Each structure stands twice: as C-alpha cells, then as structure tokens.
Amino acid sequence: MAVQSVEARPDARGQALPGYAVAAIREEGRWRCTRLSAESLVDLDAAITELRELRVEGAVVGLLDVDDEFFVLVRPVPGGIAVMLSDAVAALDYDVAADVLDLLRVELPPDDDALDDPWPEGDLSILADFGLPADELEMLAGELELYPDEQLATIGRRCGFADALAEVVDAR
C-alpha cells in the first residue's frame, strides 16, 4: 500500500512526525475508516479523546503509523482503553510511545543491551475478536523487514477493513 505522509506538529523533541492516524469503525457488521487528526501521532490522549468522541454503536480501533518506525493500536473498551505498541523501544525517542508505556505502567529496562531488539508491549489480544489472535499480532509486530504501514495493512486484511483503510490513507 502506498502511504502518503501527514505532517503532525513537532513533538516535544522537535521532530515533525510523518505517518497517519485512522479510526477503523465496525457498525452493523461493516467496517468503515476515517482519518484522525495528526495530533494523534504525537499525543496518546488526543487519540483516545478523538476515538471516544466518535460515539459509535460498534467497535472502534485507532491505528497510528508513527514516522515509519512503529505502530500503535488504541481501542476504547468497557471500563477503559486497550493499547498495543509494536515497539516498546520507540519510547526512547517518541512521546506517543512513551505515553503508551506510561499508561501500561511499563518501564524500559535500564540495561542498554536489553534495548537492542524491539518488542511489542500492551494488549496483544486487542483484535482477537476480529480474527487476529495475540500470537499472530505479536509475530506481525516482530516482522522487522515490514514497515508499520505494511503491518497495519496486514492487520486490516486479517480483520476485514483493508479496503476501507487503504481508501482513507490513499485519499490524502
């Protein structure tokens, strides 16, 4: 999938963040996707607020492709929010990834050698009810030769919203 970048405001570290933020919405057995604000790429609270404001009857999943480096899945659930970060090491360089780890109350190990290999963190079963089991999501997140947009496209195919996702991402 050819992904066109959306420039977000610079994050606290002064970087402009390319990527995209999309909400996948399932209502009445059908998927549709809509673009979220670019602010969602740098502020997890902004993404959560925007997803909750959609006020849909069905499921909503936020898909954040941040700087072609990692992705975040965000899903409002009864009583809270479920999140999954494809690469916890990204929290060293990106505020939104650090926000995810803060929400999960996960700290990076102090040993720099432990930070050599990326690892997913959070609710790996976040999409299990849509046909993507936790072990497959973990394996997909570990596919280092795939860019985050390719990983999210695969997630879309597995869950059934690939066409709706591509339409929104390519429509920019």
Side-chain angles (χ1 to χ4, degrees):
M1 171 188 342
V3 175
Q4 298 173 354
S5 296
V6 174
E7 290 297 319
R9 74 161 174 80
D11 74 1
R13 294 175 179 97
Q15 301 168 338
L17 295 179
Y20 64 83
V22 171
I25 302 161
R26 184 162 176 88
E27 289 184 299
E28 299 178 9
R30 302 190 117 163
W31 285 102
R32 67 181 170 90
C33 289
T34 185
R35 188 171 293 280
L36 298 173
S37 70
E39 183 73 15
S40 295
L41 295 176
V42 294
D43 183 359
L44 182 62
D45 288 335
I48 292 169
T49 298
E50 199 167 346
L51 289 168
R52 285 186 172 149
E53 287 176 349
L54 291 173
R55 305 243 186 256
V56 298
E57 301 253 341
V60 176
V61 180
L63 309 156
L64 313 179
D65 169 6
V66 183
D67 200 20
D68 288 329
E69 293 293 327
F70 63 96
F71 68 85
V72 179
L73 302 176
V74 183
R75 185 174 179 186
V77 294
I81 196 86
V83 293
M84 184 267 176
L85 173 63
S86 67
D87 178 7
V89 178
L92 293 172
D93 298 315
Y94 296 90
D95 291 345
V96 70
D99 290 346
V100 171
L101 293 188
D102 285 346
L103 180 69
L104 295 170
R105 295 187 176 124
V106 171
E107 293 186 27
L108 291 173
D111 179 9
D112 286 344
D113 291 337
L115 301 175
D116 289 342
D117 295 318
W119 76 90
E121 193 62 68
D123 184 356
L124 294 171
S125 64
I126 192 169
L127 299 173
D129 56 333
F130 297 120
L132 186 59
D135 58 338
E136 287 184 33
L137 182 56
E138 182 176 17
M139 193 166 38
L140 180 61
E143 291 287 336
L144 300 179
E145 58 278 349
L146 295 178
Y147 284 102
D149 66 310
E150 296 168 316
Q151 292 167 316
L152 290 173
T154 300
I155 289 169
R157 278 193 300 280
R158 290 287 285 127
C159 295
F161 57 83
D163 291 341
L165 176 62
E167 193 174 302
V168 170
V169 171
D170 293 340
R172 193 178 117 57

